Amino acid sequence: MKEKNFLDRVMEFEQHLQYMQEQFTLMIHDVAKMTEENHTLRLENEHLRERLNVLDEKLESPTKVKERATADVGEGVDNLARIYNEGYHVCNVHYGSSRKGEDCLFCLSFLSKHHS
Ligand SMILES: [Zn+2]
């Protein structure tokens, strides 16, 4: 009688181990999924931050000019020239995207047209 009881306990223990193994596998899957999500969100965040910086500079220039009593007309174009020099398009064809180190004829003609 006691022996059977012991076997029952062993089998029960085995079932517990199997259950825990299953839970562990599920947890590993969750961790893998969360790691992947984290990676995606990190990249997206980086990308959005970059876009936000470009937009900030674009939005800041008219405000700054307005705040000053003596409006510097060349300021907005200087800002765009700076953004261009930092490696971003300022032309309306590719505005805000990275130039990837290459010069852009649209940007250059836009900047020279507005720079007198
Ligand atoms: Zn461009």
Side-chain angles (χ1 to χ4, degrees):
M1 203 64 170
K2 258 196 177 172
E3 217 176 298
K4 204 191 174 204
N5 211 358
F6 177 72
L7 279 177
D8 278 349
R9 275 164 61 202
V10 169
M11 278 162 69
E12 205 175 290
F13 186 68
E14 195 190 1
Q15 278 183 345
H16 279 181
L17 278 179
Q18 273 176 357
Y19 176 77
M20 280 165 75
Q21 179 87 55
E22 278 167 23
Q23 292 301 306
F24 187 70
T25 306
L26 287 177
M27 277 163 70
I28 292 289
H29 280 160
D30 280 351
V31 168
K33 212 172 126 190
M34 286 191 307
T35 305
E36 199 186 316
E37 266 176 21
N38 188 18
H39 181 70
T40 308
L41 287 172
R42 201 184 285 257
L43 281 180
E44 200 180 331
N45 191 18
E46 224 168 83
H47 179 69
L48 287 172
R49 232 173 249 277
E50 239 170 63
R51 304 276 310 196
L52 192 63
N53 281 342
V54 174
L55 280 175
D56 269 353
E57 288 184 43
K58 190 186 169 193
L59 286 171
E60 255 177 38
S61 59
T63 319
K64 273 186 193 162
V65 171
K66 244 187 254 168
E67 276 169 5
R68 277 177 207 154
T70 51
D72 188 358
V73 183
E75 171 104 357
V77 178
D78 284 348
N79 254 341
L80 288 175
R82 188 161 51 83
I83 293 170
Y84 180 80
N85 285 330
E86 282 170 5
Y88 294 97
H89 283 282
V90 294
C91 61
N92 47 23
V93 186
H94 305 294
Y95 188 86
S97 59
S98 167
R99 288 193 288 113
K100 290 167 183 138
E102 288 172 10
D103 278 325
C104 172
L105 289 177
F106 298 113
C107 288
L108 291 174
S109 86
F110 173 82
L111 287 171
S112 70
K113 244 186 262 172
H114 293 77
H115 213 89
S116 45

